[in-house]
Structure formats: C-alpha cells, structure tokens
C-alpha cells in the first residue's frame, strides 16, 4: 500500500480539475443568462472586453509580486545553505518582499494615474 505521498498529487489534480470545471460552468451559466436577457453576441463581447481593459496595471502588480517572492525564496535558500538560517525565515522573507512589491506597485500606479 502506498503512503500518504500518493494522495497529495491526486488531491491536487482533483482540486485543480474541480476549480476548472466550476469556472467553466459558471461562465457558461453567466453567458446563458445574458442571452436569455436578450443581449446580442456583440454586446456580450463588448462587456468582456470592457472588463479586461479595466485594470491595465494588473500585469505589473503580479509581475512585481512573483519576482519579489522568487527573490525572497532564492535569498532564503542561500542564507540557509551558507549561514544556517532557519528555513522558517523564508516564509517571513516572502511576506516581507511581497509587501515591498505591493508598496512599490502602489507608488508606481499612483504616479501613472496621477493621484
């Protein structure tokens, strides 16, 4: 019999599949509700395009967060290997660096929007 390590990938893939199926069915129900209300396909497309164009700085935000989280993990692993810093410090570093990324994003977004 396999140990608990076999259940982790099965559970993970099942969870990903459940989220994906839920997303698709919700999107389908939303579109069907729009069609029932009498919206044309062009109006539906315009609604989705308007939603996409709402936040042009979203890619910048996610890019900053992922890059700084990666830097925190790499730095934490380096400090662990080189100086014997506890592995738990990596979690704190990720939280700190992601917070720094959010503050940096806020300052960049404020300059771009003129606030």
């Amino acid at each position: 019999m396999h140990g608990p390590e076999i259940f982790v990938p099965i559970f993970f893939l099942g969870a990903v599949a459940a989220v994906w199926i839920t997303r698709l069915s919700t999107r389908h129900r939303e579109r069907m509700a729009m069609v029932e209300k009498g919206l044309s396909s062009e109006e539906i497309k315009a609604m989705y395009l308007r939603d996409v164009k709402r936040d042009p700085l979203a890619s910048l935000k996610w890019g900053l967060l992922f890059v700084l989280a990666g830097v925190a993990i790499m730095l934490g692993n380096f400090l662990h290997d080189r100086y014997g810093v506890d592995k738990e410090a990596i979690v704190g570093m990720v939280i700190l660096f992601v917070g720094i990324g959010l503050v940096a994003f806020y300052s960049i977004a404020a300059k771009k929007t003129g606030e």
Side-chain angles (χ1 to χ4, degrees):
M1 172 121 184
H2 297 286
E5 63 270 0
I6 191 71
F7 294 113
V8 172
I10 292 172
F11 177 77
F12 178 74
L13 291 175
V16 168
V19 167
W20 188 254
I21 290 169
T22 303
R23 179 182 179 273
L24 289 177
S25 67
T26 303
R27 199 166 110 194
H28 176 72
R29 275 189 252 127
E30 182 182 69
R31 287 182 179 174
M32 289 297 111
M34 287 182 203
V35 169
E36 287 175 5
K37 288 184 180 182
L39 294 176
S40 69
S41 63
E42 295 301 319
E43 291 170 328
I44 294 171
K45 286 179 187 176
M47 286 178 63
Y48 281 108
L49 287 176
R50 185 174 59 234
D51 287 343
V52 170
K53 293 179 183 178
R54 185 176 298 160
D55 189 12
L57 296 174
S59 296
L60 173 65
K61 175 176 60 177
W62 289 109
L64 278 172
L65 293 181
F66 284 125
V67 165
L68 287 174
V71 167
I73 292 170
M74 288 189 322
L75 182 62
N77 285 331
F78 172 76
L79 291 175
H80 174 71
D81 293 342
R82 185 81 159 175
Y83 299 109
V85 175
D86 291 336
K87 281 280 197 180
E88 289 81 20
I90 296 175
V91 176
M93 291 178 66
V94 169
I95 293 170
L96 175 68
F97 278 52
V98 166
I100 291 169
L102 287 172
V103 170
F105 168 73
Y106 177 77
S107 66
I108 292 169
K111 288 178 186 174
K112 292 271 187 198
T113 59
E115 291 180 9

